[in-house]
Amino acid sequence: MATKSRFLLQRAVSGLRAHAAWSTSTLSPGRRLWRPQLRHVSWLRELPDVLSLSLRSHTCGELRSHHLGDKVTLCGWVQYLRQDLFIILRDFSGLTQILIPQEESARHLKAALCDLTAESVIKVTGTVRRRPVGQENKGMPTGEIEVLAEDVEVFNVCRQLPFEIKDFIRKSESLRMQYRYLDLRSSQMQKNLRLRSKLVMKMREYLCNVHGFVDVETPTLFKRTPGGAKEFVVPSREPGRFYSLPQSPQQFKQLLMVAGIDRYFQIARCYRDEGSKPDRQPEFTQVDMEMSFVDQAGIMSLVEGLLQYAWPAENGSLKVPFQTMTYEEAMRDYGVDKPDTRFSMKLVDISEVLLSSEIEFLQSAVSQPGGSIQALNVPRGALLESCGISLRNPSAFHFLWEDPSLLSHLLEALDSGAPPHGGIALGLDRLVSIIVRASSIRDVIAFPKSFRGHDLMSRAPDLVSDEELKSYHISVRWPTEEGEMK
């Protein structure tokens, strides 16, 4: 009981040491936010107490020379087993070297440790000691110390894995997707997902606490939306009736403005059946926002403040205001409405230079009314990601090309005292991939789909038996070798 009390007291004191020093920070005219300034500088200690409610006393990445002589308990995965002398233990925070005792009196403990396989999960209790002179590892944050093992509990002995959990081991993309739960153990994937989590928490804090937004969840089972991307359909038990998975919460965010919510946001799951498009996912995440009684400048200021507030400190600061570009400027200078401006590859009109050209198709181009010849100019430039702002005037929704019955609920709502409103949606997956410089958005999503939209780990989508389909009044028409349906 005394030992337990001392442990709880130690945790409480640690919490007080890391307690926040409260201060105000002016984030927009007339608005102040109370926020904690944590005294610890490491990224780990900026998080809540990761040792609470845990079997361990410390994480594998936090032990330093000031812990010398402390008795500690660590939990983690065996990264390396070296010559029956020591093991390297890993958890999400880093690595610690565990020294295997060589004395005869500790032969059972030595045997238990030496019989371990890589990636086995264990709990080790021991004493922190300084590494012998000359055996320090300056490339390892815990490289000045090691833990002399005194007790071990083996939670799980790992089978032989399809690949090693080491950052320098290259794996094929399909193998990474098939064994995603192993791929996520890598330090880079751990960093990506933790940064994503922290970014989202900062965004929630800014939107809710600074600007009074309300976090509202909207339905996933909805009805078909006219126009836009192709949607996934979900059968119901009513014959011939189907739900659709929403491309975005577009209609719901407008209905919430009609409802008087005033400021809405959501970390929204969105679904689009876009087929095999490069670096796209059938399900993805948006930071979706909508405001009543707002203009374009207000939405732009919101996004600038949001990203500036949530931007990771280790990535430097963001300068505001952001660069903006009209549609006309984008088409004139880049020929597309969402240009990649990192290299300032603007189009340059060289029609006059080629007026005397004898090449037939060039002469044909410049001789036509409004015809021109343009070339790319390729100096270096800076990154600008495009965002689309939507401002909505309720009276404008009476002019629709689509069947009005598909949107009757929305049209009725907009005739029921709808305020002017506007909003924006940021692609969270794309944003995080830019921050961590990932080559693909799959590297910032825990369980992404493959290029073809398949889950290689669970083998989804899967077949459903005819018997199971009966309750949905559905039968499958299988294609024949000639491509016809039967």
Side-chain angles (χ1 to χ4, degrees):
M1 183 66 182
T3 302
K4 182 177 181 181
S5 299
R6 283 196 300 271
F7 177 76
L8 293 174
L9 179 61
Q10 181 183 7
R11 293 265 54 80
V13 172
S14 298
L16 288 173
R17 286 173 180 168
H19 193 67
W22 295 92
S23 65
T24 60
S25 173
T26 303
L27 295 159
S28 59
R31 303 301 298 267
R32 288 178 179 269
L33 171 71
W34 288 96
R35 59 173 179 167
Q37 305 296 320
L38 296 179
R39 301 183 190 280
H40 295 282
V41 295
S42 72
W43 70 271
L44 180 63
R45 281 308 188 187
E46 291 177 3
L47 298 173
D49 188 358
V50 296
L51 301 174
S52 60
L53 313 176
S54 176
L55 298 175
R56 60 193 172 212
S57 66
H58 297 76
T59 63
C60 292
E62 72 172 300
L63 296 178
R64 299 293 187 272
S65 57
H66 62 266
H67 292 102
L68 293 175
D70 289 358
K71 189 167 185 177
V72 299
T73 298
L74 306 177
C75 297
W77 287 259
V78 175
Q79 179 85 355
Y80 297 103
L81 178 62
R82 296 281 176 80
Q83 302 172 341
D84 292 348
L85 297 176
F86 61 87
I87 65 175
I88 302 297
L89 194 65
R90 183 196 77 242
D91 66 11
F92 71 94
S93 67
L95 307 168
T96 294
Q97 180 168 292
I98 308 296
L99 189 65
I100 300 174
Q102 302 298 314
E103 296 83 2
E104 176 63 23
S105 57
R107 64 183 181 278
H108 297 298
L109 176 59
K110 178 181 178 180
L113 291 169
C114 292
D115 287 343
L116 292 172
T117 57
E119 295 305 306
S120 293
V121 185
I122 63 173
K123 180 179 77 172
V124 174
T125 299
T127 302
V128 181
R129 47 183 267 179
R130 190 181 299 277
R131 292 196 189 190
V133 176
Q135 295 185 21
E136 301 91 344
N137 186 344
K138 294 182 179 180
M140 192 173 172
T142 60
E144 292 184 355
I145 61 92
E146 59 189 7
V147 174
L148 177 60
E150 298 170 7
D151 185 53
V152 63
E153 182 176 350
V154 180
F155 293 130
N156 183 264
V157 176
C158 184
R159 62 180 175 85
Q160 185 172 352
L161 300 180
F163 54 82
E164 295 182 77
I165 314 298
K166 297 179 177 62
D167 291 339
F168 59 85
I169 300 292
R170 297 186 63 86
K171 290 90 66 177
S172 69
E173 188 75 4
S174 60
L175 196 63
R176 291 180 61 199
M177 296 300 103
Q178 183 178 355
Y179 298 98
R180 190 60 166 181
Y181 50 89
L182 298 179
D183 186 58
L184 290 177
R185 293 182 189 176
S186 71
S187 61
Q188 186 60 56
M189 289 302 302
Q190 289 277 323
K191 178 182 177 183
N192 291 354
L193 293 185
R194 292 176 190 281
L195 183 144
R196 178 179 176 134
S197 173
K198 186 177 178 181
L199 184 76
V200 169
M201 289 300 295
K202 294 286 284 185
M203 286 180 165
R204 290 185 186 277
E205 184 179 283
Y206 181 79
L207 292 170
C208 292
N209 297 349
V210 179
H211 287 294
F213 277 71
V214 182
D215 185 354
V216 181
E217 295 179 2
T218 56
T220 298
L221 294 176
F222 193 42
K223 66 180 295 184
R224 183 173 68 87
T225 303
K230 194 172 182 180
E231 297 174 332
F232 289 100
V233 295
V234 180
S236 73
R237 294 182 183 273
E238 297 184 42
R241 293 185 177 271
F242 295 82
Y243 298 103
S244 284
L245 302 183
Q247 306 171 35
S248 71
Q250 182 61 58
Q251 293 186 48
F252 291 112
K253 66 198 291 185
Q254 293 183 248
L255 293 169
L256 288 170
M257 295 304 101
V258 177
I261 294 297
D262 193 71
R263 296 185 172 192
Y264 141 91
F265 90 98
Q266 179 183 187
I267 308 300
R269 297 294 286 171
C270 305
Y271 308 87
R272 294 179 187 173
D273 188 5
E274 297 186 304
S276 301
K277 289 191 176 181
D279 208 23
R280 295 286 184 93
Q281 288 287 301
E283 51 182 325
F284 54 96
T285 307
Q286 289 182 347
V287 184
D288 194 46
M289 296 165 277
E290 192 82 6
M291 303 170 68
S292 295
F293 311 109
V294 67
D295 58 13
Q296 179 173 293
I299 297 175
M300 291 173 66
S301 179
L302 172 72
V303 174
E304 289 171 350
L306 173 67
L307 293 179
Q308 193 175 43
Y309 184 87
W311 198 259
E314 59 268 26
N315 285 58
S317 58
L318 286 182
K319 294 181 181 180
V320 296
F322 295 163
Q323 179 185 349
T324 60
M325 183 184 304
T326 65
Y327 173 81
E328 290 74 16
E329 290 170 338
M331 296 304 294
R332 181 197 65 205
D333 294 339
Y334 298 96
V336 292
D337 62 356
K338 47 181 180 180
D340 184 341
T341 64
R342 286 175 293 182
F343 310 106
S344 293
M345 297 174 64
K346 292 186 177 182
L347 295 172
V348 179
D349 194 324
I350 58 172
S351 301
E352 292 187 8
V353 179
L354 297 174
L355 280 174
S356 59
S357 172
E358 297 181 359
I359 302 175
E360 185 176 345
F361 77 89
L362 294 179
Q363 287 182 337
S364 174
V366 295
S367 63
Q368 294 180 11
S372 66
I373 301 172
Q374 296 180 320
L376 285 176
N377 182 25
V378 286
R380 294 187 179 182
L383 171 66
L384 172 68
E385 284 295 307
S386 60
C387 295
I389 295 174
S390 298
L391 294 173
R392 286 169 268 279
N393 181 349
S395 63
F397 283 89
H398 292 282
F399 303 95
L400 294 169
W401 292 102
E402 299 287 347
D403 180 359
S405 66
L406 295 173
L407 296 172
S408 59
H409 58 286
L410 181 60
L411 294 175
E412 289 176 2
L414 294 172
D415 274 339
S416 305
H421 50 278
I424 193 169
L426 306 180
L428 181 62
D429 308 309
R430 188 79 58 194
L431 176 62
V432 178
S433 70
I434 291 170
I435 293 174
V436 303
R437 302 181 184 275
S439 59
S440 167
I441 61 171
R442 289 189 290 272
D443 287 337
V444 298
I445 301 173
F447 297 100
K449 303 294 188 293
S450 70
F451 175 74
R452 296 179 57 197
H454 290 185
D455 182 343
L456 301 183
M457 181 182 64
S458 67
R459 297 180 178 85
D462 201 2
L463 297 173
V464 177
S465 70
D466 292 339
E467 186 63 31
E468 292 173 296
L469 289 174
K470 280 184 180 179
S471 60
Y472 298 105
H473 312 281
I474 293 175
S475 62
V476 177
R477 296 177 61 191
W478 296 98
T480 63
E481 293 182 0
E482 292 77 20
E484 298 177 354
M485 307 301 289
K486 66 175 182 178

